[in-house]
Amino acid sequence: MAAEANASSIASSARIDLLRDVDVAYWCRVLDVDHTQLRRAVQQVGPRAESVVRYLRRLTPAPAPEYDAPGG
């Protein structure tokens, strides 16, 4: 999900404009979220892409470590 996006690779001046369909489509693709998740994130932390990435990363649970059972 959004944890794939790297906040440091996104320009600190990048803004997400929810009024532009092209922007919404772009950021949904980059952040791997749907429109609802993107809008909710922007409502919570504002339009700065860097803040949205950090917000979405907090919502994404860390993947469970792979575990091979002994003897199996």
Side-chain angles (χ1 to χ4, degrees), residues 40-65:
R40 186 174 298 129
V42 171
Q43 289 171 348
Q44 291 295 314
V45 298
R48 286 187 51 224
E50 198 172 31
S51 298
V52 170
V53 169
R54 281 195 303 270
Y55 174 81
L56 291 170
R57 191 180 297 146
R58 284 191 308 238
L59 297 180
T60 305

Side-chain angles (χ1 to χ4, degrees), residues 14-42:
R15 301 227 179 254
I16 300 171
D17 185 350
L18 294 178
L19 299 177
R20 293 185 46 155
D21 291 338
V22 172
D23 279 8
V24 172
Y26 170 79
W27 286 109
C28 284
R29 186 174 65 250
V30 167
L31 300 175
D32 192 25
V33 296
D34 62 31
H35 292 104
T36 302
Q37 292 168 310
L38 181 65
R39 289 179 192 282
R40 186 174 298 129
V42 171

